[in-house]
Amino acid sequence: MIKTFRDLEVYQESYELMIAVHAAVKNFPVFERNDLSSQIRRASKSCPANIAEGWLKEDLRKNLNII
């Protein structure tokens, strides 16, 4: 049963992808670590963050309708 956004399969897979991206970025050449790696890490974090945000907004809407 799905109780939180962490129970969603899409969230779990996007989180695992984010972890893999962070590990891969560590192997970038030094001159690319500053700009490109930062942008890639931020982009990989946005997927699970957007899923969590969408879940929380929907949960809030349901709770406001009950009240």
Side-chain angles (χ1 to χ4, degrees):
M1 184 171 166
I2 298 174
K3 293 183 180 181
T4 70
F5 63 89
R6 288 186 178 96
D7 297 331
L8 296 170
E9 187 176 337
V10 68
Y11 174 81
Q12 294 169 2
E13 290 193 19
S14 67
Y15 187 82
E16 289 173 13
L17 179 62
M18 180 193 69
I19 299 298
V21 166
H22 278 254
V25 165
K26 290 179 182 178
N27 298 325
F28 279 13
V30 175
F31 63 91
E32 289 184 352
R33 282 190 200 153
N34 296 331
D35 298 327
L36 184 61
S37 65
S38 173
Q39 185 176 4
I40 291 173
R41 282 194 312 266
R42 283 183 280 128
S44 72
K45 289 177 186 176
S46 72
C47 293
N50 287 334
I51 293 168
E53 182 181 356
W55 176 272
L56 294 175
K57 283 183 180 180
E58 183 64 29
D59 194 42
L60 179 62
R61 281 189 212 121
K62 287 179 184 176
N63 288 336
L64 287 177
N65 287 335
I66 292 172
I67 297 172

